Amino acid sequence: MKKLLFLQSEVKNPFALYEIMLKEGAIHWDKENKTWVSYSYDACTTILNSADVLIPQIDEKNVHQLNEFALHIKNGLVRLSNGMQHEITREIAMYLFDGMKKISIDLTLQSILSTTTKNNKVDWVDTVCKQLPALVILQSFDFGDEECDLISGEIELLKMIMLPHKNKEQVARINSSAERIFKIIENHILEVQSGLVSRLVMKYKLEYNDAVFFVHK
């Protein structure tokens, strides 16, 4: 029986596997894990948009005791099925992306390689794939060099927020990192994108404090 749940890093060519499974059928039952697996984009969007689908929040009662900054970040990871919350979050994202600056990817890549290359060898995944996209996005939003380095250096740690089970050490590190990063991004957005709150107030008829809350997320 094929392994239906896996990490992409465990499979040499995951896309070829997706193609094979899709030809066999869009939906498969994973007997070992007792779960349904979809390989169809249309099926996934249909499920995520359905009001009948229950998608539980990770650690809804905050058993892991994330602090307010980590919770803001976690709760900002809304899904298509979250209705108005998803729509407003998408509006914020589109507004921010509309104002992005054009950044020279070549120059950013040269900068990364010049500081991380050792003995003319490059770990392409760790050096480029995990750093270049984040740095380009941050630079496009006009973050300074020091802020870019700090935020990009914390991304791997912040990804732990999505872990279903976290130990005390991980939670402590997440909380510390989330507070630092949240405050930097919050101040930057409210200073550089001052028209965003007003746009949300006008378009969605929100109270000012409610619009600020969405932007903070």
Side-chain angles (χ1 to χ4, degrees), residues 3 10 24 48 77 83 102 113 119 128 159 206 210:
K3 185 178 181 181
E10 295 177 344
E24 294 181 2
L48 291 172
L77 303 175
K102 290 185 178 180
L113 294 177
N119 301 323
V128 178
K159 284 165 58 177
L206 298 174
D210 293 333

Side-chain angles (χ1 to χ4, degrees), residues 16-74:
L17 176 59
Y18 298 155
E19 186 176 3
I20 293 172
M21 297 303 292
L22 188 57
K23 287 180 179 178
E24 294 181 2
I27 307 294
H28 296 264
W29 172 249
D30 186 331
K31 185 176 181 181
E32 180 181 350
N33 294 289
K34 297 181 180 180
T35 187
W36 289 99
V37 179
S38 170
Y39 290 88
S40 163
Y41 176 82
D42 290 338
C44 289
T45 54
T46 299
I47 293 169
L48 291 172
N49 280 312
S50 174
D52 297 326
V53 176
L54 174 62
I55 306 177
Q57 293 289 335
I58 296 176
D59 190 14
E60 187 174 5
K61 296 182 179 180
N62 195 24
V63 173
H64 290 109
Q65 297 185 329
L66 296 176
N67 64 17
E68 60 177 302
F69 305 100
L71 285 175
H72 271 306
I73 295 172
K74 181 178 80 72

Side-chain angles (χ1 to χ4, degrees), residues 44-210:
C44 289
T45 54
T46 299
I47 293 169
L48 291 172
N49 280 312
S50 174
D52 297 326
V53 176
L54 174 62
I55 306 177
Q57 293 289 335
I58 296 176
D59 190 14
E60 187 174 5
K61 296 182 179 180
N62 195 24
V63 173
H64 290 109
Q65 297 185 329
L66 296 176
N67 64 17
E68 60 177 302
F69 305 100
L71 285 175
H72 271 306
I73 295 172
K74 181 178 80 72
N75 293 334
L77 303 175
V78 296
R79 303 176 175 90
L80 286 171
S81 59
N82 290 131
M84 181 60 71
Q85 186 180 3
H86 176 269
E87 184 179 342
I88 294 177
T89 302
R90 184 178 185 278
E91 177 78 18
I92 293 171
M94 295 306 297
Y95 180 91
L96 294 175
F97 276 103
D98 285 344
M100 291 175 71
K101 294 166 48 179
K102 290 185 178 180
I103 300 298
S104 171
I105 294 179
D106 288 344
L107 292 177
T108 304
L109 178 57
Q110 290 175 17
S111 175
I112 292 174
L113 294 177
S114 66
T115 57
T116 57
T117 303
K118 296 181 180 179
N119 301 323
N120 294 322
K121 294 182 180 180
V122 177
D123 184 326
W124 196 257
V125 173
D126 285 336
T127 302
V128 178
C129 298
K130 291 184 178 181
Q131 294 190 52
L132 183 60
L135 279 177
V136 169
I137 291 174
L138 289 169
Q139 291 171 355
S140 298
F141 286 138
D142 212 21
F143 283 95
D145 291 340
E146 186 175 342
E147 294 172 322
C148 287
D149 290 341
L150 178 60
I151 295 172
S152 61
E154 299 283 333
I155 290 177
E156 283 296 316
L157 177 58
L158 289 176
K159 284 165 58 177
M160 292 182 184
I161 288 176
M162 295 183 286
L163 292 175
H165 304 290
K166 297 176 274 287
N167 60 41
K168 290 183 178 180
E169 181 183 354
Q170 288 173 322
V171 171
R173 294 177 62 198
I174 289 170
N175 285 340
S176 177
S177 176
E179 182 172 0
R180 291 196 302 272
I181 302 305
F182 185 89
K183 289 181 177 179
I184 290 173
I185 296 177
E186 175 189 51
N187 291 334
H188 182 81
I189 290 178
L190 292 179
E191 289 176 7
V192 177
Q193 304 289 350
S194 58
L196 178 54
V197 173
S198 298
R199 176 169 173 165
L200 295 178
V201 169
M202 294 292 293
K203 184 168 183 176
Y204 296 100
K205 311 301 181 185
L206 298 174
E207 295 293 332
Y208 178 83
N209 289 338
D210 293 333

